Amino acid sequence: MKARIVSSFSILAAITLYCSIEQAAEPSHEHPRYTKISADGEPLKPWQGPWACVLDHQNNLLWEVKTDNESIHDGYWTYSWFNNHTGEENLGDCYFEPARCDTQDLVRRTNRDELCGVKNWRLPTHTELQSLVEAPTRPSSTHIAHDYFIHIKHGDYWTSDSDDQLPAHFEQFQMGGKAVNFHTGQSMTLPYRNAAFTMLVSAAPNLTAFKLNTPRLSNRTSVITQPKENDK
């Protein structure tokens, strides 16, 4: 009987030790730079969803994440570049707003809706948007962390940089805005009237709360955002 008890304890100790070793050997799946954020401002684990924003710890920024649900944040919508009296109004393609389809109106509506609990959304600077460019993880993949930034399209993404001299083939338009393409990793200057994609950004609110997984910023309902294959 005593031998059986000793044997049982030995087996239990071996199992406990094995589990501890396996757990210690598990690689960390946390991204060194990005954290998924739900639409109500709650940090998520890398394998969790849906998420509506991405927190960029490196630059203390909060990025809009695109959807495929025909909402204001649908990745297919495009916009002409417009800000106050500069640019071209309503020359994009977005079904949610028949009267206005430009970057200024998108910013206005996103701030009104307080995406992820914040209301200081804007177009990113060229430096900010270009900072997201990284080497693709596989051939034909996007030049961005595509597990976090989903629904990225083949095309150009507006930045806030404007009054740039256009290249020769656009010389009739004189000045334009700077854009970044995540399928080539390149930047270019486009006429304001061009319909291009957008990805808005905000200063990260209460960065400590995000990192420490403390209470939510608000109680808004999550935007349904599920990853799928990038469009070819």
Side-chain angles (χ1 to χ4, degrees):
M1 183 68 177
K2 185 175 181 180
R4 286 185 181 179
I5 294 175
V6 171
S7 177
S8 297
F9 274 113
S10 298
I11 293 171
L12 181 61
I15 292 173
T16 303
L17 178 61
Y18 175 79
C19 291
S20 298
I21 294 172
E22 284 295 301
Q23 186 174 8
E26 282 187 5
S28 172
H29 297 290
E30 298 289 342
H31 196 283
R33 177 175 174 182
Y34 301 124
T35 298
K36 294 177 180 178
I37 303 295
S38 70
D40 58 3
E42 183 176 6
L44 302 173
K45 295 295 184 182
W47 56 88
Q48 291 181 312
W51 70 103
C53 299
V54 169
L55 177 63
D56 178 356
H57 295 281
Q58 177 177 300
N59 295 317
N60 292 353
L61 295 172
L62 190 65
W63 292 95
E64 172 199 18
V65 170
K66 292 302 182 180
T67 71
D68 64 346
N69 58 7
E70 298 190 357
S71 71
I72 183 176
H73 304 293
D74 195 295
Y76 275 106
W77 303 153
T78 57
Y79 309 85
S80 57
W81 197 103
F82 183 72
N83 184 34
N84 295 326
H85 301 294
T86 302
E88 297 281 352
E89 296 181 80
N90 195 28
L91 290 179
D93 180 16
C94 52
Y95 299 155
F96 68 85
E97 179 66 276
R100 285 287 301 276
C101 199
D102 53 57
T103 55
Q104 180 170 283
D105 190 59
L106 173 65
V107 169
R108 178 187 65 83
R109 288 175 61 101
T110 303
N111 283 325
R112 183 195 66 186
D113 295 346
E114 297 186 26
L115 177 65
C116 293
V118 300
K119 51 185 178 182
N120 58 344
W121 293 97
R122 57 179 173 79
L123 283 179
T125 66
H126 175 255
T127 300
E128 289 169 339
L129 194 61
Q130 185 68 33
S131 77
L132 299 181
V133 173
E134 60 181 50
T137 55
R138 58 180 181 268
S140 76
S141 182
T142 51
H143 290 66
I144 195 171
H146 54 82
D147 289 340
Y148 287 79
F149 298 95
I150 56 180
H151 308 301
I152 298 297
K153 309 303 177 186
H154 277 282
D156 307 313
Y157 284 74
W158 284 122
T159 76
S160 62
D161 291 30
S162 60
D163 293 333
D164 272 20
Q165 188 70 44
L166 287 164
H169 55 282
F170 288 135
E171 63 182 6
Q172 69 270 30
F173 300 112
Q174 297 183 341
M175 309 298 282
K178 190 159 291 217
V180 174
N181 188 306
F182 290 107
H183 277 270
T184 65
Q186 302 298 312
S187 300
M188 70 293 298
T189 301
L190 303 174
Y192 297 126
R193 63 184 296 109
N194 276 33
F197 301 108
T198 64
M199 187 159 54
L200 301 184
V201 73
S202 166
N206 197 359
L207 190 62
T208 302
F210 273 131
K211 286 183 175 179
L212 299 180
N213 200 12
T214 52
R216 305 175 181 183
L217 298 181
S218 68
N219 293 314
R220 297 186 56 77
T221 303
S222 293
V223 174
I224 298 176
T225 307
Q226 299 292 354
K228 70 176 185 180
E229 290 297 317
N230 290 318
D231 293 326
K232 305 297 182 189

